[in-house]
């Protein structure tokens, strides 16, 4: 086999190993959701977890929370082979972004625009390769667990027939719930006059803000300093 196809085949296997993790097995496997994603935006400094085409959105969200809590509490362990597969998949996606001359030129321009340096991609690949299990747990406990805290911004889009059950499930978690019809979305989430609630009313939550996430504090040197 030619070295390039062999490398691509190896990357494909690595992506499959990373994909067949707990989310793939416990969320997509039982048919709870068609797809899922975890994305960060360094410009807005926001982290977003999404579920797409979830047949049972509430159960899927709860299952995802259980997976994250399992690792944060130490009940579940991150295997080195799973971490290697995830790093291989991430490295492949970074390299794939410069697969052609046009892609490479575009990436170089973007690095210059953001003042990242011409060797940013090489530096990033080295950083990915150096990630350890402890680094993953640090990020999970500090950032990802907070996505499932009652004060996190959670948005469900659903048919009107499922609206009542989803609202009731969110209220049970201690979150303030507001049901908005499709024709009223712009009034609440668009424009300078949008009003987005930032705090639950008195008695709406059984937990103080951040109580859920604070159960899983990271004890690594980065956090105890």
């Amino acid at each position: 086999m030619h070295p390039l196809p062999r490398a691509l085949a190896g990357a494909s296997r690595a992506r499959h190993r990373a994909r067949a993790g707990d989310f793939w097995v416990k969320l997509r496997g039982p048919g709870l959701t068609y797809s899922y994603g975890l994305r960060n935006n360094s410009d807005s400094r926001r982290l977003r977890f999404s579920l797409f085409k979830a047949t049972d959105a509430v159960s899927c969200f709860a299952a995802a929370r259980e997976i994250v809590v399992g690792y944060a509490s130490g009940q579940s362990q991150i295997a080195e082979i799973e971490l290697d597969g995830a790093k291989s998949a991430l490295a492949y996606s970074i390299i794939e972004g410069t697969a052609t001359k046009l892609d490479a030129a575009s990436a170089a321009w973007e690095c210059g625009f953001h003042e990242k340096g011409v060797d940013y991609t090489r530096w990033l690949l080295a950083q990915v390769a150096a990630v350890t299990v402890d680094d993953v747990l640090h990020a999970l406990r500090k950032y990802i667990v907070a996505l499932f805290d009652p004060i996190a911004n959670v948005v469900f889009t659903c048919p009107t027939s499922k609206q009542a059950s989803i609202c009731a499930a969110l209220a049970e978690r201690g979150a303030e719930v507001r049901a908005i019809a499709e024709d009223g979305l712009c009034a609440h989430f668009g424009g300078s006059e949008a009003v987005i609630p930032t705090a639950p009313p008195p008695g709406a939550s059984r937990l103080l803000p951040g109580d859920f996430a604070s159960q899983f504090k990271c004890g690594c040197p980065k956090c105890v300093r």
Side-chain angles (χ1 to χ4, degrees):
M1 183 182 290
H2 191 275
L4 181 57
R6 185 184 300 117
L8 291 177
S12 177
R13 289 192 295 271
R15 291 201 308 275
H16 177 73
R17 287 196 301 269
R19 182 177 59 182
D22 278 353
F23 277 9
W24 179 267
V25 174
K26 297 180 181 179
L27 300 186
R28 172 150 182 166
L32 292 176
T33 185
Y34 178 77
S35 182
Y36 52 85
L38 183 64
R39 297 178 181 274
N40 72 298
N41 188 313
S42 56
D43 293 330
S44 63
R45 300 175 68 88
R46 293 181 182 274
L47 187 64
R48 182 177 66 181
F49 174 67
S50 61
L51 300 168
F52 179 64
K53 291 185 178 179
T55 55
D56 186 343
V58 173
S59 296
C60 190
F61 185 80
R65 170 175 161 167
E66 288 181 7
I67 293 171
V68 171
V69 167
Y71 285 106
S73 63
Q75 294 179 355
S76 301
Q77 304 295 323
I78 299 175
E80 287 289 347
I81 188 171
E82 294 175 348
L83 178 59
D84 289 342
K87 290 195 290 186
S88 297
L90 181 55
Y92 177 82
S93 66
I94 295 172
I95 296 171
E96 189 180 28
T98 56
T100 67
K101 292 182 179 179
L102 182 60
D103 291 337
S106 177
W109 179 88
E110 184 179 351
C111 287
F113 180 80
H114 290 287
E115 300 180 350
K116 293 179 178 178
V118 295
D119 61 342
Y120 174 75
T121 300
R122 180 176 296 180
W123 171 85
L124 183 59
L125 288 171
Q127 295 297 307
V128 170
V131 170
T132 65
V133 171
D134 289 339
D135 293 331
V136 174
L137 290 175
H138 162 73
L140 185 144
R141 289 166 177 157
K142 187 170 183 178
Y143 302 107
I144 299 179
V145 168
L147 292 172
F148 299 91
D149 196 282
I151 64 170
N153 292 324
V154 180
V155 177
F156 284 83
T157 57
C158 65
T160 54
S161 60
K162 294 187 177 182
Q163 178 178 299
S165 60
I166 290 178
C167 288
L170 291 176
E172 178 66 21
R173 293 181 59 245
E176 180 191 15
V177 181
R178 179 171 296 187
I180 303 172
E182 185 176 358
D183 57 2
L185 291 176
C186 290
H188 288 83
F189 297 105
S192 59
E193 297 181 357
V195 178
I196 302 176
T198 57
S205 175
R206 295 171 300 171
L207 296 173
L208 293 174
D211 270 4
F212 172 74
S214 66
Q215 300 176 76
F216 310 100
K217 289 184 178 179
C218 183
C220 74
K222 298 179 182 178
C223 296
V224 297
R225 284 183 299 200

